[in-house]
Amino acid sequence: MAENLTQPFTYRGCEFTCSAIQTEGGTFQPRVIYRGGMAVVQQAELPHDSDPYGSAAEALRHAEQQAVRWVHDRTGDGQGRF
């Protein structure tokens, strides 16, 4: 049975759903869905930008970091990279 973990995440007024989706190989793929917070941006799933991780916690951490980078990239403050 696959173990999928999902949690809400908010950063600078933007709402996301961050998930760790277990693959058939037992690793975890980070998944980020933007839910709202920017007036002109529609809800959307952010593109996958990494290989799967060995644990759900690592995948969730990556998903949150991806959400933060996404916000920084759209607000133009130059802090989009870790």
Side-chain angles (χ1 to χ4, degrees), residues 9-49:
F9 180 71
T10 302
Y11 182 74
R12 291 192 174 179
C14 293
E15 302 288 330
F16 298 90
T17 300
C18 295
S19 302
I21 308 299
Q22 190 170 20
T23 68
E24 289 182 18
T27 58
F28 294 86
Q29 181 66 51
R31 180 179 182 209
V32 183
I33 299 175
Y34 167 73
R35 297 290 182 194
M38 292 185 181
V40 296
V41 180
Q42 298 290 325
Q43 290 187 15
E45 181 174 353
L46 277 58
H48 295 284
D49 70 347

Side-chain angles (χ1 to χ4, degrees), residues 2 4-6 16 20-21 24 32 38-39 42 45 48-53 58-59 61-62 64 66 71 76 78:
N4 298 325
L5 299 176
T6 300
F16 298 90
I21 308 299
E24 289 182 18
V32 183
M38 292 185 181
Q42 298 290 325
E45 181 174 353
H48 295 284
D49 70 347
S50 75
D51 292 331
Y53 285 84
E58 290 174 307
R61 187 169 37 255
H62 178 91
E64 290 176 355
Q66 183 182 7
V71 170

